[in-house]
Amino acid sequence: MEYYIDPVTFVTQKSGFESRYIKNLLGLLDEGATITFISRYRKEMTGSMDEVQVGQVREIYEQFKELEKRKKTVLESIEQQEKLTPELRKQIEHCTDLRELEDIYLPYQYMVFFSCATIEGKSERIGTFGCHIDETG
C-alpha cells in the first residue's frame, strides 16, 4: 500500500525511538516476524528493544496503517461528492491523528447522510428507490 505520510517518521514521533531502529523494526514486522523473535534475536537491528517496546511500536504502526486506510476512504468519499479541493486533499493527506481526520470529514459525512435521507424520504412516497447509509464511517 502506498502511504500519504512516511511510516518511519510517524512511528518515530509517536514512540520516541531512533528512526534507524524504527525503520528496521517496521521492516521486520512487515516480513511477519513476531515480537518475541524480534526482541530476542534482532536486538542489533532494534537498539535492544524489549518485548514491551517492540509491542508498543507495533501498536503505533497498526494505528498508522488504520489512519492511512481511513484517509483513502475519506478522500474517495469526498471526491465522489465532487467537493475535494487541492487544499482539502493536502490537509487530509498530511493528517497524523484519526480524530482530527474525522473532524475534517464530519461536514462531508453529514452531506452524504442528508442526501440519502432526502432521497429515502422521497422514495417512500414513490416506493421505488432505496438508499444504503454506511454507518461504519
Side-chain angles (χ1 to χ4, degrees):
M1 177 178 176
E2 187 174 315
Y3 298 124
Y4 299 108
I5 56 177
D6 178 43
V8 174
T9 303
F10 179 89
V11 176
T12 299
Q13 289 174 346
K14 298 280 183 180
S15 69
F17 296 112
E18 290 184 44
S19 62
R20 64 184 169 143
Y21 297 132
I22 295 298
K23 182 178 181 181
N24 293 338
L25 182 50
L26 297 186
L28 290 167
L29 290 170
D30 285 340
E31 291 171 5
T34 65
I35 291 173
T36 304
F37 176 82
I38 294 168
S39 62
R40 289 184 186 170
Y41 304 111
R42 295 296 180 258
K43 288 183 178 288
E44 73 285 352
M45 295 179 73
T46 64
S48 297
M49 288 185 203
D50 61 26
E51 287 185 25
V52 173
Q53 293 169 319
V54 173
Q56 290 169 340
V57 170
R58 183 183 70 177
E59 186 175 317
I60 294 168
Y61 188 40
E62 291 302 318
Q63 291 170 359
F64 168 79
K65 291 192 283 189
E66 195 61 38
L67 174 66
E68 291 294 299
K69 182 178 167 185
R70 184 69 180 137
K71 284 179 190 180
K72 184 176 184 213
T73 302
V74 166
L75 285 167
E76 288 171 357
S77 174
I78 297 172
E79 196 167 41
Q80 286 177 351
Q81 297 173 50
E82 298 179 1
K83 305 258 186 218
L84 188 61
T85 64
E87 296 81 18
L88 181 58
R89 174 181 289 281
K90 185 176 180 180
Q91 186 179 12
I92 291 168
E93 288 176 352
H94 291 99
C95 187
T96 59
D97 182 76
L98 188 56
R99 278 183 261 173
E100 181 185 336
L101 178 63
E102 294 303 332
D103 287 346
I104 294 168
Y105 184 46
L106 187 62
Y108 303 97
Q109 285 178 318
Y110 178 75
M111 293 299 286
V112 169
F113 175 76
F114 181 75
S115 298
C116 289
T118 302
I119 291 169
E120 279 190 16
K122 291 178 183 176
S123 70
E124 287 177 12
R125 285 180 256 146
I126 300 170
T128 59
F129 187 83
C131 182
H132 171 72
I133 300 172
D134 183 7
E135 295 181 4
T136 62

